[in-house]
Amino acid sequence: MSEQSTSFPDGLPRVRAEIDLDAVRSNIRALHGLAARNRAGVMAVVKADAYGHGLLPCARAARAAGAAWLGTATPEEALALRAAGDTGPVLCWLWTPGAPWRETVEAGVDISVGAGWALDRAAAAARAAGRTARVQLKADTGLGRNGCPPEDWPALVAAARAAEADGAVRVTGLWSHFACADEPGHPSITAQQRAFADALEHAERAGLRPEVRHMANSPATLTLPESHYDLVRPGIAVYGLSPSPEVGLPQDFGLRPAMTLRAALASVKRVPGGHGVSYGHHYLTPGPTTLALVPAGYADGIPRHASGTGPVLVAGKWRTVAGRVAMDQFVVDLGGDTAGAGDEAVLFGPGDGGEPTAEDWARACGTIGYEIVTRIGARVPREYRGADRPGEEPAAAPGAGRGADSGAGPGRNVVNASDSVRSGA
Ligand SMILES: *Cc1c(COP(=O)(O)O)cnc(C)c1O
């Protein structure tokens, strides 16, 4: 009952996230196909370590499959792309006064500006660097997060025009972000589209000539073609998850989840009925049974809210997390079925091998698929499948300011050995 499987090889980690780069590439092509109907290109969002999938391998895969632009939240993420040799268009949008403004200007990364103070910082950094800052003005069309509110927009546009006349900045883009695009039919969607059209009209009348105008996140890319403008800006869909069940299933849009989280059972044993399981004894075995120990816990990004509810494929069946998720491990009740130490537990994946999906985990934990994949921790090695294809040419992308990653030409476009297993960010 508790023997080790003899077939289990040495050297395989206790838990690992397999990242299918073929899926990332085919997702980009599917999104590109939707955007291209509206003559739009793709900005693949690779913030937060590419939603937990690994910044650099995913960025390279996205470029190779036709993403003309990459988007990051922080300047540090954008600078990491440059440090790795990416030379294509990149926008980053989460700025604070103490951020690396000058390095970012020097790196030729587009800076999002939603307020006068940020425009001043970008212009000052440009003067210090002796070059023009590329800035994209962000309109708050209703999200209420970053971005310039409509009443301040004329002043920001005028200040940006003046900074262009000085040679300090060039306004390369005008953009905004949806609040409720993942709830198709939500009344805020059309209100935001109208507000964005107004902001564009004002900016263009004031003389701004942006390279790109963009608004569509994943749900809008999938469901709102009239929001595509020059670029779509998908994140979660790049990694093959649907933004929400209301939008649809990944396969409805030709998307395939790229992450599969697997663990090797650390223990399997028989216990009598009435046996308490894990901290607090919130689970008591209903009768004599087999308990399997999955060596992954909240330190690895397994939500503690999955206690008593998270689904796992073990020995051919879905099992449920028994009792609490601990820092490093949790238990599943095999109900008397047989398994051995080293046998595989699949927490989530694309679902076509019978395993649960990240969406199943999200439902079990009261969260969204985004959080399930993004929170997988630095202690979990990422293992890449589907090396970059040498010679795969980026598709032509309208709205592409500059070329794709010049470091990813034929024959050099390979995930190298040091990337093939890495320890997160
Ligand atoms: C995260 C993010 C996106 C991507 O959103 P998805 O819903 O993952 O497609 C796009 N734009 C901005 C500003 C973001 O912060």
Side-chain angles (χ1 to χ4, degrees):
M1 183 61 41
S2 56
E3 322 78 56
Q4 182 192 325
S5 297
T6 49
S7 62
F8 203 77
D10 277 3
L12 214 54
R14 78 193 150 88
V15 56
R16 64 194 200 279
E18 250 175 48
I19 310 299
D20 178 358
L21 294 174
D22 285 332
V24 171
R25 277 185 293 268
S26 85
N27 295 336
I28 290 282
R29 284 191 292 267
L31 296 163
H32 196 277
L34 288 172
R37 291 183 202 162
N38 304 302
R39 303 182 42 73
V42 173
M43 175 187 290
V45 178
V46 294
K47 63 188 179 186
D49 203 28
Y51 291 46
H53 294 67
L55 174 68
L56 298 177
C58 292
R60 282 196 288 269
R63 290 279 197 212
W69 285 76
L70 298 176
T72 71
T74 70
E76 288 80 7
E77 292 165 339
L79 293 172
L81 292 169
R82 288 292 188 253
D86 186 287
T87 58
V90 176
L91 169 66
C92 68
W93 51 72
L94 193 56
W95 287 89
T96 46
W101 293 86
R102 181 171 170 173
E103 291 101 302
T104 307
V105 170
E106 285 170 346
V109 166
D110 287 39
I111 295 172
S112 174
V113 161
W117 71 263
L119 183 66
D120 293 345
R121 288 309 273 238
R127 288 188 198 100
R131 57 181 288 179
T132 302
R134 295 173 55 86
V135 306
Q136 301 206 14
L137 302 186
K138 183 173 193 189
D140 182 356
T141 54
L143 176 60
R145 219 167 61 174
N146 234 334
C148 181
E151 54 279 19
D152 298 340
W153 186 249
L156 183 63
V157 166
R161 273 299 281 152
E164 278 196 330
D166 270 8
V169 311
R170 153 128 186 81
V171 177
T172 54
L174 298 171
W175 72 296
S176 191
H177 193 36
F178 280 111
C180 309
D182 59 342
E183 298 173 47
H186 193 283
S188 69
I189 294 171
T190 48
Q192 284 199 261
Q193 287 181 281
R194 270 196 303 277
F196 189 53
D198 290 348
L200 291 180
E201 197 194 316
H202 177 88
E204 283 163 13
R205 246 191 291 117
L208 294 181
R209 296 290 176 266
E211 296 167 17
V212 288
R213 302 157 304 163
H214 51 101
M215 179 169 211
N217 55 2
S218 294
T221 301
L222 299 174
T223 66
L224 282 176
E226 64 277 22
S227 72
H228 288 184
Y229 289 95
D230 302 311
L231 281 179
V232 297
R233 210 173 59 239
I236 197 70
V238 170
Y239 311 101
L241 303 192
S242 170
S244 68
E246 297 93 307
V247 167
L249 296 169
Q251 54 268 34
D252 298 339
F253 303 99
L255 302 173
R256 182 174 170 76
M259 184 188 290
T260 300
L261 190 64
R262 302 177 191 277
L265 297 181
S267 148
V268 180
K269 63 189 178 194
R270 275 224 165 262
V271 296
H275 198 299
V277 174
S278 193
Y279 294 129
H281 278 181
H282 292 281
Y283 184 80
L284 291 179
T285 55
T289 189
T290 8
L291 297 178
L293 183 65
V294 178
Y298 61 78
D300 302 297
I302 309 305
R304 192 164 175 276
H305 281 98
S307 299
T309 156
V312 190
L313 180 68
V314 182
K317 287 187 202 153
W318 279 33
R319 322 285 176 169
T320 303
V321 176
R324 282 200 181 140
V325 173
M327 185 179 292
D328 314 299
Q329 43 195 298
F330 66 83
V331 173
V332 293
D333 185 340
L334 300 187
D337 290 351
T338 315
D343 284 358
E344 187 167 79
V346 187
L347 284 75
F348 58 82
D352 47 10
E355 74 279 10
T357 62
E359 186 57 39
D360 292 319
W361 274 78
R363 204 176 312 112
C365 303
T367 183
I368 53 178
Y370 293 72
E371 188 184 358
I372 297 297
V373 292
T374 304
R375 62 181 291 144
I376 296 305
R379 202 167 69 169
V380 177
R382 271 62 169 174
E383 197 172 282
Y384 292 93
R385 299 267 178 265
D388 294 31
R389 303 234 178 291
E392 183 173 37
E393 290 303 321
R402 287 163 280 167
D405 183 0
S406 63
R412 298 191 50 210
N413 199 4
V414 167
V415 175
N416 62 38
S418 63
D419 287 332
S420 64
V421 176
R422 58 185 283 283
S423 310

